Amino acid sequence: MCAGSRLHPHPFPGFFNRKMSISFRRLSLLATLSAAAFGAAPVAVCAASAASAEAPATGSVGASSVVSIAASTSSASETAAAGGNAGPAYGPELQGFTYPEPVGQYDFTSQGVALHMAYMDVKPAHANGRTVVLLHGKNFCGATWEATIHRLSEAGYRVIAPDQVGFCKSSKPEHYQYSFQQLARNTHALLESLGVKDATIVGHSTGGMLAVRYALMYPRETQQLVLVNPIGLEDWKAKGVPSLSVDDWYRRELKTSADGIRRYEQSTYYAGQWRADYEPWVQMLAGMYRGPGKQIVAWNSALLYDMIYTQPVVYEFGQLSMPTLLLIGQKDTTAIGKDAASPEVRAKIGHYPELGKAAAKAIPHATLVEFADLGHAPQMQDPDAFHKALLEGLAAVQGSR
């Protein structure tokens, strides 16, 4: 392991020191005041704020959590009726939730704050000399790439799947100026610490926006770019989605519940469908809002939503110089903040069949693969079809740079 990295299969950094306890008290007071001022219901019975943004991913969470795809095709409402808000409580850095591979921690200082990034670094039994970096979405984690990690590793790729600062098992600072440039720099520093000089960068959902920014900042070190149902294919602000303040986002995030996550995911990501093997990812996210770090988790999420809304990447697609593979589920309707928009605005955003084609036209060296019946997370909804397209797309540019 390189300097600055440490392995923690179940990391529990010193979050609850005196300084952060003070912060928790202040954030708890803010949450209480916000609930009183805005009539917020208790988190266990509130709809998730995910209805305004991305929903969590689908799939399995290691052997102990895998649910057979054939086990159930019940709706999210049926799951909720069976006690859908019940579930485990996790720490603010997903303490207690097991990842499919050992988790390392990259320690670094950013904006004057000591931080750490969690990551999985999976080396194949028979290496083909290439590295793939998997960037998760807003309400996803490195763990949600489980099936993709295994398929790529079997094909000879070294796979690195980090959790970005503010997400999952990584630091959640009280104060941080989030930008896609900053997250790209953090990711680049992590890869440098692991001795990775160039890689294929794969970004899903919000990770797609980050992947584009990374590729623009580090074109020589980006062998290939892969965008999986990325958000940011349009500028929601320019299309009329109203601005929400960080305080607004925070109040919404405090209402996050398993029921709300489930309902949003079913309606927006999966065209009304639901499977039992999606449930572990619902619990992964909802568990952080049941745990002792609810306020700091919600606060970081609010800061991140503000970053996503205010920092479009769509205007710079023409500057991407590397081969780019677009893998787009056509049933996706994701658009940040659309529930806060007028009916007229909602009607014209989140149309992925149109957005994918426009992105392929704008990006100089793009290849578009469309999945007619899949939604926002094709890698989880139909892993076989997705990974076939991904592996073929990766092989098409092998050795070209």
Side-chain angles (χ1 to χ4, degrees), residues 286-351:
M288 286 190 287
Y289 288 88
R290 298 187 189 105
K294 171 184 173 180
Q295 284 79 25
I296 197 66
V297 171
W299 181 248
N300 274 262
S301 184
L303 294 174
L304 288 159
Y305 276 127
D306 186 69
M307 173 190 74
I308 294 166
Y309 175 83
T310 60
Q311 298 178 28
V313 296
V314 62
Y315 303 112
E316 298 168 76
F317 284 171
Q319 300 176 34
L320 292 168
S321 59
M322 64 291 301
T324 300
L325 177 64
L326 290 160
L327 301 173
I328 307 294
Q330 302 292 283
K331 300 290 188 181
D332 193 1
T333 60
T334 305
I336 295 297
K338 69 179 179 181
D339 73 316
S342 68
E344 293 77 17
V345 171
R346 286 200 299 271
K348 65 182 182 181
I349 58 178
H351 299 299

Side-chain angles (χ1 to χ4, degrees), residues 187-209:
T187 303
H188 187 257
L190 165 65
L191 296 180
E192 280 192 324
S193 77
L194 297 174
V196 176
K197 296 182 178 179
D198 61 76
T200 290
I201 307 297
V202 179
H204 170 235
S205 196
T206 295
M209 293 184 77

Side-chain angles (χ1 to χ4, degrees), residues 58-345:
T58 60
S60 55
V61 189
S64 63
S65 304
V66 174
V67 182
S68 170
I69 290 176
S72 173
T73 57
S74 62
S75 68
S77 60
E78 289 171 331
T79 304
N85 266 328
Y90 299 124
E93 295 174 7
L94 264 183
Q95 294 92 341
F97 184 91
T98 303
Y99 272 30
E101 299 289 342
V103 177
Q105 295 289 347
Y106 170 62
D107 298 317
F108 64 108
T109 299
S110 175
Q111 300 180 20
V113 180
L115 301 172
H116 63 89
M117 281 180 69
Y119 65 93
M120 291 175 284
D121 183 0
V122 181
K123 298 180 176 66
H126 303 287
N128 64 13
R130 292 182 65 183
T131 298
V132 175
V133 178
L134 301 176
L135 303 179
H136 61 76
K138 169 64 180 66
N139 289 323
F140 298 77
C141 295
T144 57
W145 285 112
E146 178 180 9
T148 303
I149 291 171
H150 294 159
R151 291 291 292 272
L152 289 172
S153 181
E154 290 170 359
Y157 295 90
R158 179 183 180 181
V159 185
I160 298 171
D163 285 346
Q164 296 298 321
V165 170
F167 295 88
C168 310
K169 288 186 179 289
S170 291
S171 295
K172 294 176 181 63
E174 183 181 356
H175 301 291
Y176 202 62
Q177 183 173 337
Y178 279 106
S179 69
F180 285 112
Q181 288 89 341
Q182 182 65 71
L183 298 184
R185 290 188 185 98
N186 297 349
T187 303
H188 187 257
L190 165 65
L191 296 180
E192 280 192 324
S193 77
L194 297 174
V196 176
K197 296 182 178 179
D198 61 76
T200 290
I201 307 297
V202 179
H204 170 235
S205 196
T206 295
M209 293 184 77
L210 174 56
V212 169
R213 182 58 59 200
Y214 184 98
L216 290 168
M217 292 174 66
Y218 306 105
R220 294 181 180 274
E221 291 143 281
T222 304
Q223 183 181 35
Q224 183 181 12
L225 179 64
V226 181
L227 304 176
V228 183
N229 279 81
I231 64 169
L233 298 181
E234 58 189 332
D235 183 344
W236 309 285
K237 175 167 59 69
K239 288 189 172 182
V241 174
S243 171
L244 296 175
S245 71
V246 171
D247 293 324
D248 290 335
W249 279 116
Y250 178 62
R251 284 187 286 267
R252 291 158 70 96
E253 287 301 283
L254 286 172
K255 300 175 184 179
T256 299
S257 71
D259 279 350
I261 294 169
R262 209 178 286 111
R263 285 194 298 270
Y264 173 77
E265 181 177 308
Q266 181 179 17
S267 65
T268 301
Y269 283 9
Y270 302 109
Q273 299 178 1
W274 189 255
R275 293 201 312 249
D277 63 315
Y278 300 160
E279 185 64 20
W281 306 124
V282 172
Q283 297 302 328
M284 175 186 71
L285 297 177
M288 286 190 287
Y289 288 88
R290 298 187 189 105
K294 171 184 173 180
Q295 284 79 25
I296 197 66
V297 171
W299 181 248
N300 274 262
S301 184
L303 294 174
L304 288 159
Y305 276 127
D306 186 69
M307 173 190 74
I308 294 166
Y309 175 83
T310 60
Q311 298 178 28
V313 296
V314 62
Y315 303 112
E316 298 168 76
F317 284 171
Q319 300 176 34
L320 292 168
S321 59
M322 64 291 301
T324 300
L325 177 64
L326 290 160
L327 301 173
I328 307 294
Q330 302 292 283
K331 300 290 188 181
D332 193 1
T333 60
T334 305
I336 295 297
K338 69 179 179 181
D339 73 316
S342 68
E344 293 77 17
V345 171

Side-chain angles (χ1 to χ4, degrees), residues 17-61:
N17 56 26
R18 183 176 181 274
K19 179 177 183 293
M20 294 313 294
S21 296
I22 293 172
S23 300
F24 268 110
R25 285 197 293 273
R26 184 161 69 227
L27 286 169
S28 296
L29 176 60
L30 177 58
T32 301
L33 292 174
S34 297
F38 289 83
V43 65
V45 295
C46 283
S49 64
S52 62
E54 295 181 64
T58 60
S60 55
V61 189

